[in-house]
Each structure stands twice: as C-alpha cells, then as structure tokens.
C-alpha cells in the first residue's frame, strides 16, 4: 500500500444533510457540499499518513504534505459556509450516539484527559453531558463555544473567502479575537442578516487536539504516564462512530437534549474496523442504538458513563463509496447492536507496568519538590492509585514498610 493510499483509507466519513447523510472522502480533491436547516456550505477532512508523524522525509508524496510536514498536527477539519439566520450561542465538539459505560480505572484516565483537551483547545469552558442509558435523547457530549476553533475567518464578500483545498488557509481570528467577535454577535452587534442576505461567509479550521488523537488508528497517543504507548479510544467511546458537531440550543433551553438542538454541522467519523464490526456495509444507520456490553464484562455497580468520568458525577480510505448516488438516505439500513469493550482482561496487563509507575512517580516527585509543586504530585499519585485499585495490579507492587518514630522535644 502506498503512502497516498494509506492516507486515503481507514476512516468512513459522512456529513449530515437536511435529509440523510452524504459520503465524504478523506483528503478529497474538492470539499463536500451540504445543507442543514441552519447552515449551507462545504466541509473537508484531511489526515496525514502515520508514516509521516515523525516529520521525516517520506519517499513518496502524500496529500497536503506542504501543510502537514514540520508540524505536530495529525489532521485538520475545515468548514466553510453561511448561516441562514443570525445564530445564537453555538457549541462545537464531539457527540456519541449512545451511552457508554466505563470502569473506574477508565474514569480516572478520563479525568486526566480533560485538562489536556482544555489545554489543546485553550478553552476552559468545556461542557460535559453525562448522558443517560435510559434516555436516548440525552447523548454524551463534550463541547465548547464555537470560538474554540483554532482559526476563524469572516468575509463579508463571499468571493474573497479562501478555497478549503488551499494547502494552508490564511490566518484569521485566534481564539481570543474569535471570542470577542462571537460574543459581540450574540449580544446583538456585528453583521446584519438583513443587510447581507445569508450573512457573511465563515471559514473554520480545527487541529488543536489532533496531536493527541490518531483517528486512523483510533487511539490516543503521547499521553502523560503512558510511556509512549498508544491508548485505544474504544474504552472511552465504545464501539460506535463519533460525531463532530456544531449546534445551538433552542431559545431558553439549557439541557443538551436532542430535541433541543439545531445542527449546523454533523460529521460522522467511523474507523474501518468498527464499521466492519457493526456490519454497516456501504450504507449505515443513523440514530441511537441499544448498547450491549462485551461478553467478558461484568454489568456491576462500579461502571460509570463516559461523560460521568469527565464531570465526576454519577450516572442517574480504503474509503468506501456509496453504491449508486452519493446522496442516498442512509438512515434505513439494518444494523447489529454495538458492544463496548470497556474492561481489559488479565492477559493484557503487563508486569513491568508497576515498576514503570514507581519510576515515573519518583521522577515526578523530584521535579515537584524542586519547584514546590507537591499538589501536582499528590493529584498524579491519586490518579495512579485509582487506576491500580481498579485494574487489580496493586498486588504486583513491591511491599514497602514505613516506620515512623516520634521524638518528644525537650
């Protein structure tokens, strides 16, 4: 398989339309045009091949090499178009189709991942919805205000907007400037949709969290205290597609329920192995699916939802094209229930990990002691202990005896 073929494969992408979904091609030569109830525009998803992650010079060119080479980003989502009316508060982020149960160990890891996402987006206003296994209308989401995009361009003259297939988009608003723009617009200022039918043309680009997420391999990478090992995304999101979304809530609504949302964009992202496991075929179902646990997982009380782990609360290519017209509605295809591999069996646990944990804690403690950051060490140690307690590895740690003697001062 050539580098170009590798970059074009492994992900199934579909963008929501007012009726049904359209197939998207990874690293396409032209963006995919779409229209929803509140937005009309086009989108493009580009992803570099895994062989180029270290930025070494490859023997064969790959799509958007001029853009990716020398940078840490692994992928980039680009969106361009016009809102049909003045938008209210817009949220962007990820959404799952169904509630996902995770173990306490995964819960601790998710708590550690959240600050990394906030740092990658440079946005502390990240909203978590815990979801509800008994309410399909309350999906798990992790979203932030739309100004969390890495690059935002606004053009009153539609002809001046850049092409999404440009190797590198022009620099527009950063997050600080974008926040000021959107908050002015939400307070009644900014452009008028009456004077400019359809409003200005917006161009968005997102890549900030991409160094942590290898979507083609469907893994987290380069996370702290993982010693260079990749971490599968499935224990956190289940064996199901993930949706990249932009939506606003109905006026006066605060709860992120499906019937309260108006979507401007919804891109469904699914790796090939999950697509095959769900028996989706060339056409795929959309909407909630009944969760089913993996056969080796106990359905007990120590399991919490994916977004509960974030919030700390308890729960209450080979890109396949469509056969025929790409605009076919894909909502009515048969499907098989998804199962979520949420707990590792003993055979996947490795003995050396206990020694590695102790070694890393010693280094971290020395660093924190030098810089008077013992709270960081205490938090990290607590996370590690929770992981050990939930994973059953605590019995592999060496026994340590501590003797304390109190001496009364004279």
């Amino acid at each position: 398989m050539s580098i170009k073929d590798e970059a074009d494969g492994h992900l199934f992408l579909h963008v929501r339309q007012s009726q049904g979904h359209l197939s998207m091609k990874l690293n396409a030569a032209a963006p995919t045009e779409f229209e929803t109830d509140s937005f009309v525009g086009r989108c493009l998803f580009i992803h570099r091949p895994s062989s180029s992650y270290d930025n070494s010079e490859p023997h064969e060119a790959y799509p958007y090499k001029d853009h990716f080479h020398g940078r840490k980003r692994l992928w980039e989502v680009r969106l361009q178009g016009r809102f049909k009316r003045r938008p209210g508060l817009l949220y962007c982020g990820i959404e799952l189709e169904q509630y996902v149960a995770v173990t306490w160990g995964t819960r601790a890891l998710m708590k550690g991942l959240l600050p990394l996402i906030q740092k990658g987006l440079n946005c502390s206003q990240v909203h978590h919805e815990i979801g509800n296994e008994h309410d399909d209308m309350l999906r798990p989401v992790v979203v932030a205000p739309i100004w969390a995009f890495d690059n935002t361009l606004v053009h009153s003259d539609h002809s001046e907007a850049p092409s999404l297939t440009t190797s590198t988009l022009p620099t527009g608003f950063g997050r600080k400037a974008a926040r000021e723009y959107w908050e002015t617009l939400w307070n009644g200022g900014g452009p008028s949709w009456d004077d400019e039918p359809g409003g200005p043309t917006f161009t968005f680009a997102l890549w900030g969290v991409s160094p942590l997420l290898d979507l083609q391999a469907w893994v987290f990478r380069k996370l702290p205290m993982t010693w260079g090992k990749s971490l599968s995304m499935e224990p956190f999101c289940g064996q199901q597609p993930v949706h990249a979304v932009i939506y606003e809530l109905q006026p006066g609504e605060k709860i992120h329920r499906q019937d309260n949302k108006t979507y401007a964009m919804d891109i469904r992202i699914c790796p090939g192995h999950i697509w095959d496991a769900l028996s989706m075929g060339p056409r795929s179902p959309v909407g909630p699916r009944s969760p089913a646990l993996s056969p080796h997982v106990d359905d007990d009380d120590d399991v919490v939802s994916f977004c509960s782990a974030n919030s700390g609360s308890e729960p209450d290519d080979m890109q396949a094209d469509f056969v025929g017209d790409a605009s076919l509605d894909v909502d009515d295809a048969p499907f098989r229930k998804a199962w979520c591999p949420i707990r590792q069996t003993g055979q996947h646990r490795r003995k050396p990990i206990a020694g590695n944990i102790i070694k890393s804690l010693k280094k971290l403690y020395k660093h924190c002691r030098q810089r008077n950051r013992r709270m960081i060490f205490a938090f990290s140690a607590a996370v590690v202990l929770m992981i050990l307690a939930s994973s059953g590895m605590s019995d592999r740690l060496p026994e340590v005896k501590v003797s304390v003697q109190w001496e009364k001062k004279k």
Side-chain angles (χ1 to χ4, degrees), residues 16-64:
R16 174 187 290 197
Q17 283 227 109
S18 297
Q19 295 181 348
H21 280 63
L22 290 176
S23 175
M24 290 178 58
K25 183 175 175 60
L26 195 66
N27 298 324
T32 301
E33 304 281 342
F34 71 98
E35 181 176 358
T36 63
D37 294 337
S38 63
F39 188 85
V40 55
R42 59 205 63 85
C43 57
L44 181 70
F45 199 113
I46 58 178
H47 200 308
R48 67 194 300 174
S50 59
S51 57
S52 72
Y53 289 174
D54 59 358
N55 285 310
S56 61
E57 192 69 26
H59 300 292
E60 185 178 356
Y62 59 89
Y64 297 94

Side-chain angles (χ1 to χ4, degrees), residues 86 125 145-148 152 154 173-191 202:
R86 176 183 286 269
Q125 299 182 18
I146 195 169
W147 49 260
T152 302
V154 183
F173 293 147
R175 291 193 181 92
K176 184 177 180 180
R179 180 174 185 173
E180 294 177 358
Y181 176 88
W182 282 106
E183 289 182 348
T184 299
L185 189 147
W186 293 330
N187 290 326
F202 293 88

Side-chain angles (χ1 to χ4, degrees), residues 1 13 17 35 169 206 217 261 352 395:
M1 179 185 298
L13 305 171
Q17 283 227 109
E35 181 176 358
L169 293 174
L206 177 68
K261 299 176 184 177
D395 56 341

Side-chain angles (χ1 to χ4, degrees), residues 307-336:
C307 286
S308 301
N310 282 336
S311 63
S313 59
E314 298 295 332
D316 194 11
D317 149 23
M318 289 314 128
Q319 174 74 36
D321 295 326
F322 278 99
V323 178
D325 189 357
S327 64
L328 286 174
D329 188 349
V330 297
D331 295 345
D332 55 356
F335 59 90
R336 180 161 54 90

